[in-house]
Amino acid sequence: MNKVNPKDAQLVSDHLVQCLRDSVLVFNQTQLVHWGLLGSKFYQIHLLTGDIQTEMVEGIDNIAEHIRSVNLLTPISVTDLLSSRIQDIDLTDPFDQDKIILDLSTAHDLLAGFFEELAKYSGMIGDDLTQDLAVERGRVHKKNQWHLRATMTYMTPNKERTDVEEGKS
């Protein structure tokens, strides 16, 4: 078996713990949208974000348990835990539904990308268990961003909003 460069192993370890931090932030953002979005899409988004939160609780726990199983430390304080690479979502206008949904879907997409990086790096050092975890978490967050974006209102060229086009007189 080939020896792993300690710097490469540390890069994977650091990235794994950072993915946990980023996941917790996106979970909290999802929860804030679940509680705070107002308007015509409230119920649809409330149900969707509820489902996403339920899945994320188990996913975050799996990440933390994996971190501990490979003898790494999880974040040691709330401040440390919430040290994320993902920008916070602005909910000061809870009726700006499409902007909030787009911001949340972007957060899930960024998180998916971070897990894709983790999968690549862990694969390069032969850490199959971390790679499998990263691939699965990336897949889940890609799905989440797709589900969120599917609820958005899109403008088409020379037309009004697609969700109200049928109701035009």
Side-chain angles (χ1 to χ4, degrees):
M1 181 170 167
N2 294 335
K3 288 213 173 226
V4 175
N5 180 328
K7 288 183 181 181
D8 293 337
Q10 188 62 50
L11 173 75
V12 169
S13 297
D14 292 346
H15 202 69
L16 175 61
V17 173
Q18 188 59 52
C19 281
L20 174 63
R21 290 181 184 109
D22 296 331
S23 295
V24 169
L25 182 81
V26 172
F27 170 79
N28 286 316
Q29 289 177 332
T30 303
Q31 192 168 45
L32 290 172
V33 171
H34 177 76
W35 292 334
L37 186 82
L38 297 173
S40 61
K41 295 181 182 180
F42 168 78
Y43 188 68
Q44 176 185 14
I45 297 302
H46 187 76
L47 293 177
L48 176 58
T49 54
D51 290 345
I52 291 171
Q53 287 178 92
T54 299
E55 190 286 326
M56 285 189 76
V57 166
E58 184 176 340
I60 289 169
D61 195 52
N62 287 341
I63 298 164
E65 288 173 352
H66 178 69
I67 289 169
R68 296 301 295 136
S69 75
V70 294
N71 297 319
L72 298 173
L73 294 176
T74 54
I76 58 171
S77 69
V78 173
T79 302
D80 182 17
L81 182 61
L82 295 178
S83 174
S84 178
R85 300 172 282 188
I86 297 175
Q87 183 176 355
D88 206 2
I89 293 175
D90 180 8
L91 287 168
T92 54
D93 181 2
F95 288 100
D96 194 353
Q97 298 174 88
D98 282 344
K99 181 186 180 313
I100 292 168
I101 294 166
L102 178 61
D103 288 350
L104 184 59
S105 70
T106 299
H108 279 276
D109 196 41
L110 286 169
L111 187 54
F114 294 150
F115 278 111
E116 289 171 11
E117 288 175 5
L118 178 59
K120 179 178 81 173
Y121 297 145
S122 56
M124 291 168 74
I125 67 166
D127 183 348
D128 295 339
L129 297 177
T130 300
Q131 184 179 33
D132 287 348
L133 175 75
V135 166
E136 179 56 31
R137 295 311 308 154
R139 185 177 295 120
V140 166
H141 291 290
K142 277 306 239 188
K143 180 187 74 169
N144 291 344
Q145 71 84 26
W146 167 58
H147 284 170
L148 287 159
R149 287 183 192 211
T151 69
M152 293 178 57
T153 304
Y154 291 97
M155 301 293 283
T156 56
N158 302 319
K159 292 186 179 183
E160 295 295 317
R161 302 174 109 185
T162 57
D163 67 341
V164 294
E165 189 171 4
E166 295 295 319
K168 287 176 39 176
S169 349

